[in-house]
Amino acid sequence: MRRPIDSLFGRLVVLVIGVLVLSHVAWFLVIRSERDQTQTRYAVEEATFLVDAVRQHIEHSPDQPLPSSVRVVDPSSADIPKPMPDTDEDAGSYGGLSPFSRGRNHMPPDFARFIDDLKDRLPDGTDVRIGEPGGPPALWVRGVKDANWIVVPLQPLRPPRSRDRMLVWLAIIFSLAVIAALLAAWQLQHPLRSLAQAVGRFGRGEPTPPVPERGPRELRQLTHGFNQMVREVAQTESDRAVMLAGVAHDLKTPLARLRLRAEMMDEVKLRDGVVRDVNSMAHIVDQFLVFAHDGADRSEPMEVDQQCERIARSYRAVAPDAPPVMMKLTAGRAFVLPVATLDRLLSNLLDNAHAYGAPPVLIETMRGAKGWELRLSDSGKGIAAEDLVQASRPFVRLDPARGGSGHSGLGLAIVDRLVRRAGGECAIGNRVEGGLQVVMTFPFATVARLAELLGEESLREVRAF
């Protein structure tokens, strides 16, 4: 099962969102702390300004009335609030009427900071008290040189404000940042994804067009190197295919003359031996031509089940001494392949089973988890586990004694190349019960396109009729 977090884009998404969440939460806490401290400093400056203004008023114009919110109280008045205790033990005698009359340990942090900052701002020895609850919040201040208590209104440290608005703006900024970061991550991941897909096609032997060189400098260099490697490999494959095709084609004419001359020999035993060797050489030449062919199969798509039955009957008729071929065809009419590709696949696999396997040979078709499957297995000794990797490589003979039997080491290599060229995958392994098994898997999408072509051909034939 594919997990999105395993991809580069998924990990970039997790990393970007995580960093943005941490940074936004940190900024939110910093801004809230700074805002609270700013409000406290503002309240301290405002209270200090009011106290100084009252003192200036008393000193220079005592006859003028004070504002209604400011008053001067005689020290003998019974309205003077009690001193604010420094500890919770001292607060016990006050009954804990309010946070203002409780100990400093239970005082709100902003209010305690306000009292400390206000005392630091006022002259030494200034007595600061908070009005008793039940009336408007008031600040009582009396300095060393003050004859009376100065009472000024106490502004709330946290005036009503909407924190929801701040959270809304934070959410908007966070969303825009995430979208911008995801677009940047996609721009970085997209060229890598294109390169990874091209590497996959190249590894499966499919045609690989040049990958656009985009992204950072290192990624452009990597893409340029990959494109250059693909061109060089394609040129090497083309040169090898041309060489094989040329050699195989040039050998056909002398082989035909050699067969004709062998047929004219008088000695039967010698003639049969020469004809058998010529046929083996002709079979090798045909294998060279099939392996060197690098073009797409343009033949008509056919139902695999129906074609398997026909090929099996033809094989039994041409090679009577071949092992019996059993069939278990359950794919149905939806599984189609180009007829030329299917003929070459089954011919090479049946020849390989005839030469190296043991009866019975079983051909199976079925619907697998990843696509339509075509299987061919025999009951021979199979291939050693350490040789399975080399089994599909060209010109590799796992048994050196097989060199003179008309085999070039291209049978399984041709099968692997034909399957990959058709968009499928080929797996070679040993069965548990013994024998070699070749499993060819063709994706549903690839087969569906071929089925559509087959349907269009059938429709055209019906209309023409």
Side-chain angles (χ1 to χ4, degrees):
M1 180 179 178
R2 297 178 59 185
R3 295 181 299 174
I5 198 167
D6 284 340
S7 65
L8 175 63
F9 183 72
R11 297 193 178 189
L12 285 175
V13 168
V14 173
L15 177 62
V16 167
I17 293 180
V19 171
L20 288 175
V21 167
L22 290 177
S23 62
H24 278 70
V25 169
W27 273 112
F28 176 75
L29 296 177
V30 169
I31 291 174
R32 187 175 67 174
S33 176
E34 287 294 327
R35 185 174 63 179
D36 294 341
Q37 293 180 8
T38 301
Q39 291 175 350
T40 302
R41 288 193 295 267
Y42 176 79
V44 169
E45 294 297 329
E46 184 180 26
T48 304
F49 173 78
L50 289 176
V51 171
D52 290 341
V54 172
R55 285 174 178 166
Q56 294 293 330
H57 179 83
I58 294 174
E59 182 179 354
H60 295 94
S61 55
D63 298 333
Q64 296 294 330
L66 291 170
S68 58
S69 59
V70 178
R71 57 197 175 106
V72 177
V73 179
D74 188 84
S76 61
S77 174
D79 296 335
I80 299 174
K82 298 180 177 66
M84 184 172 56
D86 291 334
T87 62
D88 291 339
E89 289 78 5
D90 297 335
S93 59
Y94 293 96
L97 297 177
S98 71
F100 295 154
S101 61
R102 297 171 64 183
R104 295 178 60 86
N105 292 343
H106 286 119
M107 187 179 297
D110 293 338
F111 189 77
R113 185 168 57 248
F114 168 75
I115 297 298
D116 293 337
D117 292 347
L118 183 60
K119 288 184 176 181
D120 293 338
R121 186 70 174 78
L122 295 173
D124 295 338
T126 302
D127 191 0
V128 178
R129 301 183 186 182
I130 304 300
E132 293 292 340
L139 180 66
W140 294 64
V141 178
R142 184 184 181 190
V144 177
K145 297 181 180 180
D146 293 334
N148 299 311
W149 285 91
I150 300 175
V151 183
V152 297
L154 178 62
Q155 298 295 330
L157 296 182
R158 292 188 179 182
R161 60 181 181 270
S162 175
R163 288 200 173 179
D164 294 339
R165 182 178 301 175
M166 182 178 179
L167 294 176
V168 169
W169 278 109
L170 190 64
I172 293 175
I173 296 173
F174 176 78
S175 302
L176 294 177
V178 168
I179 293 174
L182 293 183
L183 289 176
W186 183 82
Q187 290 290 337
L188 178 63
Q189 178 263 353
H190 186 66
L192 278 175
R193 183 180 181 183
S194 300
L195 181 60
Q197 292 174 348
V199 171
R201 289 193 298 268
F202 181 74
R204 294 190 297 269
E206 300 175 1
T208 307
V211 182
E213 300 176 10
R214 298 176 295 182
R217 182 179 65 254
E218 294 81 3
L219 183 56
R220 294 197 304 270
Q221 292 174 350
L222 177 62
T223 306
H224 177 75
F226 174 77
N227 290 334
Q228 185 176 0
M229 180 191 68
V230 171
R231 287 193 295 268
E232 292 178 356
V233 171
Q235 184 63 38
T236 303
E237 289 288 334
S238 178
D239 295 342
R240 185 176 67 170
V242 170
M243 181 188 69
L244 287 176
V247 172
H249 183 271
D250 293 341
L251 286 176
K252 278 187 168 293
T253 300
L255 284 176
R257 290 199 300 264
L258 187 59
R259 182 184 290 108
L260 179 60
R261 292 174 181 175
E263 295 290 347
M264 299 175 63
M265 290 182 178
D266 295 331
E267 189 174 348
V268 177
K269 187 175 181 180
L270 179 61
R271 181 186 61 194
D272 292 342
V274 173
V275 170
R276 186 165 54 251
D277 291 339
V278 170
N279 290 335
S280 297
M281 294 175 65
H283 179 72
I284 294 175
V285 170
D286 291 337
Q287 294 247 2
F288 281 174
L289 288 174
V290 172
F291 183 78
H293 177 70
D294 198 28
D297 190 354
R298 304 296 182 182
S299 60
E300 180 185 2
M302 292 290 293
E303 297 177 15
V304 174
D305 290 359
Q306 179 181 352
Q307 194 69 4
C308 286
E309 294 178 353
R310 187 187 65 79
I311 293 175
R313 288 195 301 268
S314 301
Y315 189 76
R316 285 194 293 264
V318 174
D321 58 336
V325 179
M326 302 176 62
M327 287 177 289
K328 186 179 179 181
L329 310 177
T330 60
R333 302 183 60 181
F335 186 18
V336 298
L337 286 176
V339 61
T341 296
L342 187 56
D343 288 347
R344 291 169 182 170
L345 286 175
L346 292 179
S347 297
N348 280 278
L349 290 175
L350 289 173
D351 288 342
N352 191 76
H354 183 199
Y356 311 125
V361 177
L362 176 63
I363 299 176
E364 298 177 273
T365 61
M366 65 189 67
R367 181 187 179 94
K370 297 182 179 180
W372 296 103
E373 294 184 3
L374 171 61
R375 300 186 179 187
L376 191 142
S377 55
D378 60 61
S379 303
K381 297 180 180 179
I383 298 177
E386 61 271 14
D387 294 332
L388 284 174
V389 178
Q390 300 181 352
S392 59
R393 294 180 179 176
F395 307 106
V396 174
R397 296 191 184 94
L398 303 180
D399 184 4
R402 297 174 178 175
S405 60
H407 294 273
S408 59
L410 286 175
L412 293 179
I414 290 174
V415 171
D416 184 73
R417 172 171 285 200
L418 289 174
V419 171
R420 292 181 181 274
R421 192 178 297 161
E425 296 180 356
C426 181
I428 302 174
N430 294 315
R431 297 196 302 169
V432 178
E433 57 271 22
L436 185 69
Q437 183 179 60
V438 180
V439 180
M440 295 156 283
T441 305
F442 301 89
F444 294 118
T446 302
V447 176
R449 288 194 295 269
L450 293 174
E452 291 177 0
L453 294 177
L454 179 60
E456 293 175 359
E457 290 290 338
S458 301
L459 184 60
R460 283 197 292 268
E461 291 178 1
V462 171
R463 289 176 178 176
F465 179 79

